Amino acid sequence: MLPRWPSILMLSGSLGAIAAAFILEPDPRGFGTHEQLWLPPCGFLETMGKPCPLCGVTTSFCHLLRGHLLTSLMLHPFGTLFGLCVLVVPFVAVLALKHRRPFFPTWLLHQWHWAVLSGGFLLAISWCYTIARYTR
C-alpha cells in the first residue's frame, strides 16, 4: 500500500504557510515580516549590512497572496516562485490522496538533485538581485 503521509504532510504544511501569510502583514521595509512570528531579525543583515538569500521571501509571499504580483516580484523573485509553488501544493496533494498516487513523481525521487540544484541556482540569482536593489 502506498504511504499517504507525504501527501498529508505537504497538504498540511502548505495550508499552514498560506494561513500564516494571510495573517501576517507585509513589512513596508520589504523584509522582516517573519518577525511577526516572534522570530529574530536577520542576523546576516545586522552583521553584514546586506540581506541574506532569504531576506524578503516571507514579505514577497505575503504580497503574492494579496494579489500584489508585481510588488512580490520586485521584493524577491524567489519568494514569488516559492509562493506559487506553495499555492499549487494543496491541489496536487488532494489529487494524490484521491487517486492514491504518490505526491512526488517517480522521476523526481530519482533525480531530486537536479531540483535542488535548480532551486539553489534560482535562489542565488534572486539573492544577487535583492542585494543590488537593497538600500538601507
Side-chain angles (χ1 to χ4, degrees):
M1 174 140 175
L2 183 71
R4 300 176 69 142
W5 67 265
S7 295
I8 293 169
L9 184 65
M10 295 300 286
L11 177 63
S12 59
S14 62
L15 291 177
I18 291 167
F22 271 120
I23 292 168
L24 298 175
E25 202 54 46
D27 195 299
R29 298 175 295 171
F31 60 91
T33 301
H34 69 281
E35 294 171 21
Q36 296 172 40
L37 297 170
W38 302 288
L39 295 170
C42 178
F44 189 93
L45 180 62
E46 288 184 344
T47 57
M48 303 299 275
K50 297 289 182 196
C52 78
L54 299 176
C55 273
V57 169
T58 305
T59 308
S60 175
F61 184 39
C62 289
H63 277 292
L64 176 69
L65 290 182
R66 286 166 174 73
H68 309 145
L69 180 61
L70 188 57
T71 304
S72 177
L73 274 169
M74 297 296 291
L75 285 175
H76 204 297
F78 188 82
T80 306
L81 178 63
F82 171 76
L84 291 171
C85 290
V86 169
L87 290 173
V88 170
V89 166
F91 298 103
V92 174
V94 167
L95 286 173
L97 288 167
K98 179 181 177 194
H99 297 290
R100 298 181 187 268
R101 308 285 291 168
F103 178 83
F104 297 103
T106 306
W107 66 266
L108 183 59
L109 294 175
H110 298 290
Q111 301 293 325
W112 62 268
H113 55 282
W114 289 113
V116 171
L117 288 172
S118 300
F121 179 72
L122 292 172
L123 180 60
I125 291 172
S126 189
W127 186 25
C128 292
Y129 165 78
T130 303
I131 289 174
R133 89 167 170 80
Y134 178 77
T135 55
R136 189 109 168 147

